[in-house]
Amino acid sequence: MSQFRVEAKSRDEQYKKMMSVLETYRAEPSDPSSALKAARMRSLFNGYRLTQAYKEDTKVAYVVEQFPNEIVFGFNMLSWNMESMAILLAQTVNVDPFINLTQEKSLSRDICSFLRGSLGVMLANGYPNPDLVMVNDQPCDCLAKVGNMSSKLYDCTFLSINTPNQINEDTLAYLVEQLKKLIADIESNLNIPFDEELFRQVVQYSNEARDYYCKTVELNKTYELPGVSRELLEIFGMNGFGLKENVQICKTLYEEALEMSKQSDPNKKKKRILWAGQAPHNDHELIRYFEQQVEIVYWAPLWEANLVSLDPEDPLTSIAERAILYHWNAERLKENISQVCTSFHIDGVVISNIWGCRNMMGISSMIREMSGEQGLKYLTISVDYVDKNNYAFNHVKNRIDAFLEIMSD
């Protein structure tokens, strides 16, 4: 596979290939979140960004999860999250050929299917060729490796930053210097200057959106708000903080959540489970089955890093602090998940172990330990939302039924 190169780099042809896949996907609006105006706005905006990425004059940066996209937006570049796009494709009926292509190229099946899906689309030349590939070493080293491999596939510049695990003056200074070097390297490789005025505006938009996001989180602690926790997860996954459009999406979601809270009956609340780990799309059979009996609260959008605003006077330092908070530090994550379970009045925890995800396997024991300390029921399920060879609903249904029965007691 290391010898493979993407030769045909016409974004017009790549766009046609992507559309041939997506045109088979027709989502039915049967899930609660689809009724939210914010969800429809986000979907339309993501569709617009997708089409823009295939235009020849668009500067496209491949990035990984939780990359500091404010810097990308400061160059007026479009960020293309390799893993999130693979998740989108996993919702179509045509993802199997991409997975099969990676196996033909001898990529191990033991690797996370989200990453194999990303590489499969690249091998099929369905992604827009990037101008740059940029990674940090979170949430996993495998995702950073996919970024490195993709830069070789497209024969383009690869830039990376190393994020320390601990927060102190030295680690913050170390990471800030890397961010400054990253900006200089982007300027050098693209031959365009970093727009300081645009960056200040990006930081402002990031904070405005984050303010609405945090206020929505606060409402969700007290009230049962169908679809809201899921939409917070989708906004987190989009990683569009810094874009003007995301301010409007977050504002709309807050306004909808506020109206829903006024009509919420505290005496008719379902029991709550916290979903820890990657989640399938919001109309997946697993989600629909759980939501017949319980309310799902997603943990990922409630991480401490997601609630951090940037300092307009020193944005790079606050970006660095947020990046470190995103690191999967077991001690910090345990404290965070414990606080979330308390403040959201969680009754049980579902640990979703994804095929090949070493991160979730690594922290699963910590989550089970925390659940035991708080007297919470917990369930671990091993699933695969991309490669259908590794998942069947019947394989986990009996365990889910037993868990839900205990939850109903």
Side-chain angles (χ1 to χ4, degrees):
M1 184 169 175
S2 61
Q3 304 301 314
F4 183 85
R5 294 289 186 275
V6 176
E7 301 296 343
K9 295 185 179 180
S10 166
R11 285 186 179 169
D12 183 58
E13 290 302 314
Q14 292 165 338
Y15 178 76
K16 290 177 182 178
K17 288 185 178 183
M18 177 64 82
M19 289 301 103
S20 70
V21 174
L22 295 182
E23 68 183 7
T24 63
Y25 177 53
R26 295 292 183 270
E28 296 296 330
S30 57
D31 61 279
S33 66
S34 65
L36 293 172
K37 182 179 178 182
R40 297 195 297 272
M41 290 172 61
R42 173 185 48 77
S43 179
L44 288 171
F45 179 55
N46 279 340
Y48 169 75
R49 293 176 71 205
L50 186 149
T51 57
Q52 289 297 111
Y54 287 90
K55 292 186 175 181
E56 293 295 341
D57 59 347
T58 301
K59 295 295 184 184
V60 175
Y62 279 11
V63 297
V64 297
E65 303 289 333
Q66 290 104 58
F67 191 82
N69 274 347
E70 286 92 351
I71 291 176
V72 179
F73 303 146
F75 281 95
N76 201 25
M77 286 193 293
L78 189 146
S79 63
W80 183 273
N81 187 317
M82 296 175 287
E83 187 176 19
S84 291
M85 288 307 303
I87 296 171
L88 170 64
L89 290 171
Q91 300 173 19
T92 77
V93 297
N94 288 339
V95 71
D96 290 346
F98 299 130
I99 292 293
N100 294 338
L101 187 55
T102 64
Q103 292 174 199
E104 292 172 12
K105 298 293 182 181
S106 303
L107 190 69
S108 173
R109 288 187 67 250
D110 291 333
I111 297 172
C112 167
S113 297
F114 291 140
L115 306 184
R116 287 193 289 135
S118 300
L119 285 167
V121 186
M122 293 179 205
L123 293 173
N125 200 21
Y127 278 178
N129 53 281
D131 296 280
L132 291 172
V133 178
M134 299 189 289
V135 305
N136 43 354
D137 49 359
Q138 57 196 54
C140 69
D141 54 349
C142 289
L143 188 52
K145 180 61 178 177
V146 168
N148 181 260
M149 293 172 68
S150 67
S151 71
K152 295 177 180 177
L153 291 175
Y154 291 97
D155 192 25
C156 70
T157 300
F158 175 76
L159 302 175
S160 66
I161 52 178
N162 169 251
T163 308
N165 195 277
Q166 301 295 327
I167 298 179
N168 55 53
E169 289 185 5
D170 290 338
T171 58
L172 286 173
Y174 167 73
L175 188 48
V176 166
E177 286 305 309
Q178 288 188 74
L179 295 175
K180 290 178 179 178
K181 184 177 186 305
L182 177 71
I183 291 172
D185 287 343
I186 297 172
E187 288 181 316
S188 174
N189 280 277
L190 296 184
N191 197 28
I192 55 176
F194 185 58
D195 192 330
E196 295 285 353
E197 183 58 36
L198 175 59
F199 183 56
R200 280 191 287 272
Q201 185 68 75
V202 164
V203 169
Q204 179 180 331
Y205 286 148
S206 182
N207 286 342
E208 288 178 9
R210 192 77 63 180
D211 181 55
Y212 288 118
Y213 184 97
C214 290
K215 289 195 292 187
T216 304
V217 168
E218 287 300 313
L219 286 174
N220 205 195
K221 287 181 179 178
T222 305
Y223 302 100
E224 183 176 327
L225 308 172
V228 169
S229 181
R230 179 69 199 207
E231 187 55 27
L232 287 170
L233 176 68
E234 298 294 344
I235 292 171
F236 156 68
M238 186 176 77
N239 196 8
F241 287 94
L243 296 174
K244 182 179 181 180
E245 293 83 356
N246 195 47
V247 177
Q248 190 58 50
I249 292 170
C250 290
K251 178 182 179 182
T252 301
L253 180 62
Y254 167 67
E255 291 171 345
E256 290 183 292
L258 184 61
E259 285 303 310
M260 291 165 66
S261 70
K262 296 175 182 178
Q263 303 170 26
S264 178
D265 186 346
N267 298 316
K268 293 184 178 181
K269 292 176 65 175
K270 293 180 180 178
K271 287 194 174 181
R272 281 183 160 181
I273 63 168
L274 189 71
W275 190 282
Q278 289 277 16
H281 61 90
N282 51 7
D283 201 33
H284 191 278
E285 59 189 351
L286 275 175
I287 300 299
R288 287 189 277 111
Y289 197 74
F290 272 105
E291 288 186 333
Q292 291 175 8
Q293 297 189 44
V294 296
E295 178 190 0
I296 297 176
V297 174
Y298 295 95
W299 179 35
L302 305 178
W303 294 341
E304 183 182 1
N306 288 319
L307 310 179
V308 173
S309 295
L310 303 181
D311 181 356
E313 302 302 320
D314 188 9
L316 291 184
T317 298
S318 48
I319 287 175
E321 179 181 2
R322 185 186 63 191
I324 297 174
L325 287 174
Y326 270 130
H327 237 311
W328 285 47
N329 177 294
E331 183 177 331
R332 285 200 303 266
L333 287 178
K334 182 179 180 180
E335 181 179 352
N336 172 251
I337 196 171
S338 178
Q339 291 174 348
V340 167
C341 286
T342 299
S343 59
F344 279 79
H345 310 288
I346 297 299
D347 301 292
V349 179
V350 172
I351 305 167
S352 179
N353 274 335
I354 305 301
W355 180 280
C357 181
R358 295 180 296 180
N359 275 16
M360 274 310 299
M361 291 183 66
I363 68 167
S364 290
S365 58
M366 174 274 290
I367 299 175
R368 290 192 291 268
E369 180 182 303
M370 181 282 306
S371 299
E373 292 173 355
Q374 292 211 6
L376 301 174
K377 305 295 189 296
Y378 63 85
L379 169 70
T380 301
I381 54 175
S382 296
V383 290
D384 194 325
Y385 306 134
V386 178
D387 190 345
K388 298 178 180 63
N389 294 315
N390 301 325
Y391 164 79
F393 180 61
N394 289 337
H395 291 172
V396 295
K397 181 179 181 299
N398 289 342
R399 301 184 67 246
I400 293 173
D401 286 338
F403 173 72
L404 291 175
E405 183 176 347
I406 295 173
M407 288 290 298
S408 64
D409 293 340

